């Protein structure tokens, strides 16, 4: 079975996740895209801690956040790998490689830095969500910031179930 590493060019779809149902749906859609486009997947979670919260946190609490993020990413990677193995590919034997990355800090700053550092990022996929109050028009603040700052195409997957592969 071929992976993106076997191809002349290796491209990656970065998938932002917060482990919500909406984010899982976006990851499923990203897997569908990755198979079709013959790209790999990088799951990315940014756990945010404000400066005021950071001052009050013990170092163990911060490490706990990092470990929880890593653990959740591993679970999501395993879920997508299982889904990946069950997909019937009629036109190709390509299976994306799935990896993950977790970092503390703001979402838009972190994801834009990752896109800049990893020259193989082809596209960003993230879930869309309804604004929880009237302050956000159309999308949440984080979505707007990522779309504004990202230096690659951004696909926003709506909250509704895309498909179950």
């Amino acid at each position: 079975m071929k992976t993106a590493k076997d191809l002349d060019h290796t491209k990656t779809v970065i998938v932002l996740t917060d482990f919500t149902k909406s984010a899982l749906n976006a990851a499923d859609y990203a897997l569908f895209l990755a198979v079709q486009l013959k790209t790999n997947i990088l799951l990315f979670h940014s756990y945010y801690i404000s400066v005021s919260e950071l001052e009050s946190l013990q170092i163990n609490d911060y490490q706990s956040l990092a470990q929880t993020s890593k653990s959740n990413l591993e679970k999501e990677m395993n879920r997508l790998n299982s889904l990946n193995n069950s997909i019937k590919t009629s036109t190709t034997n390509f299976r994306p490689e799935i990896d993950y990355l977790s970092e503390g800090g703001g979402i838009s700053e972190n994801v834009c830095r990752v896109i800049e550092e990893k020259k193989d990022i082809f596209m960003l996929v993230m879930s869309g969500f309804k604004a929880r109050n009237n302050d956000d028009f159309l999308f949440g603040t984080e979505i707007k910031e990522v779309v504004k700052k990202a230096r690659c195409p951004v696909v926003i997957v709506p909250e509704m179930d895309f498909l179950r592969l």
Side-chain angles (χ1 to χ4, degrees), residues 43-139:
L43 295 168
F44 183 79
H45 179 247
S46 186
Y47 49 95
Y48 178 75
I49 303 172
S50 69
V51 174
S52 61
E53 289 175 318
L54 185 58
E55 291 171 357
S56 67
L57 281 176
Q58 300 290 331
I59 191 70
N60 292 342
D61 294 334
Y62 186 79
Q63 290 172 342
S64 175
L65 284 173
Q67 185 56 42
T68 299
S69 177
K70 180 181 175 188
S71 175
N72 287 334
L73 282 166
E74 286 175 353
K75 288 176 189 172
E76 178 60 0
M77 181 181 70
N78 290 336
R79 185 188 75 83
L80 285 177
N81 274 322
S82 292
L83 195 56
N84 190 18
N85 291 332
S86 70
I87 296 173
K88 292 179 175 51
T89 55
S90 58
T91 59
T92 180
N93 287 332
F94 179 80
R95 298 280 187 224
E97 289 186 8
I98 303 170
D99 201 0
Y100 65 86
L101 179 62
S102 174
E103 295 189 5
I107 295 170
S108 61
E109 293 80 16
N110 279 346
V111 76
C112 289
R113 185 182 46 70
V114 170
I115 290 169
E116 184 64 30
E117 288 174 1
K118 295 184 176 290
K119 302 298 183 193
D120 66 338
I121 301 295
F122 170 72
M123 177 187 301
L124 185 149
V125 175
M126 62 190 295
S127 64
F129 56 88
K130 296 175 187 160
R132 302 302 180 221
N133 58 40
N134 290 331
D135 295 336
D136 292 336
F137 177 75
L138 192 56
F139 300 115

Side-chain angles (χ1 to χ4, degrees), residues 14-16 26 124-128 142-143 146-147 154-158:
I14 187 168
V15 182
L16 303 188
L124 185 149
V125 175
M126 62 190 295
S127 64
E142 291 294 343
I143 292 175
V146 170
V147 170
V154 177
V155 175
I156 301 171
V157 181

